[in-house]
Amino acid sequence: MKGIDNGFRDYLVSSLGDCAYELTMVGFHEKLKKLKEEDKQRAHSFFKELAPEHWVNSYFRGMRYGEMTSNVVESFNNWIKKARNLPITRLVDTIRTQLMRQLLAWHDQANKWKETICPTFETLLLDTFNDNSSWQVSKASEDVFEVHSIPSVIVGIGRRTCSCFQWQINGFSCDHAIIAIQKSRYNLNDCMEHYFHVETYRVAYSVTIFSISSMEKPPFRSHRLYHISTNYEKTTRQVEEE
């Protein structure tokens, strides 16, 4: 990206994101072709050995559950910022205490939920249906529906598929599927992957991180560690000199 105007650079990065999030292979190759034409040789070199199954939604085999980045790592690093400069034993114990409190808080929170689907996704389901309730739906069989959106798509409720591919990749019902399910004999909650169920959330945070008593721990001696480190450095220098 060196030597590229900031505005054009931001546009290229945004276009790369569009390619990554594209759900269909046809759509991906159309957007990638356009990106390569705009950035010429630089883009061709960049994509030469970059396998699409490692970064493109439409080529990914499995479910991403809507996640495309590892930003949670940065969130964790920020969460333990105060502990990172502590001596190693105190650092580990501080992080353990933070995790112990956090897991218990999430566990207690989940026990208050009465819904089948986690509240965030329950709200998303309702909003999606309200926004797209004007779409017309045609029934082909007990399981298969055509949703007349732009473009129109085919929803297979029994197999949890939609020709837009969003349901297969994210695991969470797409807009088309939600509308089709509402017009079918199926229960919307039963069509959700268990990943989004309150029951699954509770199981994830059911593990207990136990507290550790410090009654029989030896007292921490920072000056002792300093002398050990100093003696180690002296010994190392002597070996190097010999």
Side-chain angles (χ1 to χ4, degrees):
M1 290 292 185
K2 290 183 179 179
I4 296 180
D5 176 74
N6 288 341
F8 185 54
R9 180 179 59 193
D10 293 342
Y11 169 75
L12 291 176
V13 172
S14 177
S15 298
L16 178 64
D18 291 340
C19 291
Y21 280 94
E22 175 58 43
L23 296 169
T24 67
M25 293 184 182
V26 172
F28 164 68
H29 285 290
E30 287 178 352
K31 291 178 179 179
L32 183 62
K33 180 181 178 181
K34 182 179 178 181
L35 179 58
K36 287 182 176 180
E37 289 174 350
E38 290 177 334
D39 200 32
K40 305 285 188 273
Q41 187 59 42
R42 198 190 307 257
H44 283 274
S45 300
F46 181 76
F47 292 110
K48 186 176 180 181
E49 297 181 0
L50 193 61
E53 58 267 25
H54 298 311
W55 66 281
V56 180
N57 251 336
S58 58
Y59 276 86
F60 185 74
R61 296 294 176 260
M63 293 182 184
R64 290 189 184 274
Y65 299 104
E67 299 296 335
M68 286 282 283
T69 69
S70 58
N71 289 345
V72 66
V73 175
E74 296 303 322
S75 298
F76 182 78
N77 284 337
N78 185 64
W79 189 55
I80 64 168
K81 183 182 293 185
K82 293 182 179 179
R84 286 189 298 181
N85 294 323
L86 296 174
I88 185 65
T89 53
R90 192 174 295 179
L91 178 147
V92 171
D93 198 52
T94 300
I95 294 176
R96 177 193 62 79
T97 303
Q98 285 184 241
L99 288 172
M100 180 180 69
R101 292 170 178 166
Q102 187 69 280
L103 284 176
L104 181 61
W106 286 333
H107 175 76
D108 291 345
Q109 182 186 53
N111 282 336
K112 297 176 183 177
W113 294 341
K114 304 301 182 183
E115 304 85 356
T116 303
I117 306 298
C118 290
T120 299
F121 298 100
E122 184 80 23
T123 301
L124 184 59
L125 288 175
L126 294 174
D127 290 344
T128 298
F129 180 72
N130 292 332
D131 291 342
N132 302 307
S133 57
S134 60
W135 283 346
Q136 297 297 312
V137 179
S138 298
K139 184 177 180 180
S141 70
E142 289 298 316
D143 290 340
V144 180
F145 294 80
E146 180 179 356
V147 179
H148 301 281
S149 56
I150 302 176
S152 62
V153 297
I154 305 301
V155 176
I157 299 177
R159 293 177 295 139
R160 296 185 183 180
T161 61
C162 179
S163 56
C164 78
F165 295 103
Q166 187 173 334
W167 198 359
Q168 295 92 304
I169 293 173
N170 293 338
F172 188 77
S173 300
C174 61
D175 297 359
H176 313 107
I178 292 172
I179 300 302
I181 293 169
Q182 291 282 355
K183 304 291 184 181
S184 73
R185 60 182 173 83
Y186 288 89
N187 182 291
L188 187 57
N189 290 335
D190 294 339
C191 296
M192 294 292 111
E193 289 289 332
H194 282 284
Y195 177 88
F196 302 101
H197 284 210
V198 170
E199 178 187 354
T200 304
Y201 190 99
R202 286 173 180 161
V203 171
Y205 297 109
S206 63
V207 178
T208 301
I209 297 180
F210 293 99
S211 55
I212 300 175
S213 173
S214 62
M215 285 294 294
E216 297 184 4
K217 285 184 178 180
F220 179 76
R221 295 285 186 270
S222 58
H223 68 277
R224 183 181 177 187
L225 292 177
Y226 170 78
H227 288 307
I228 292 174
S229 176
T230 304
N231 291 335
Y232 174 78
E233 291 176 0
K234 288 181 180 179
T235 303
T236 303
R237 283 199 298 270
Q238 289 174 359
V239 171
E240 289 176 349
E241 290 173 359
E242 292 176 359

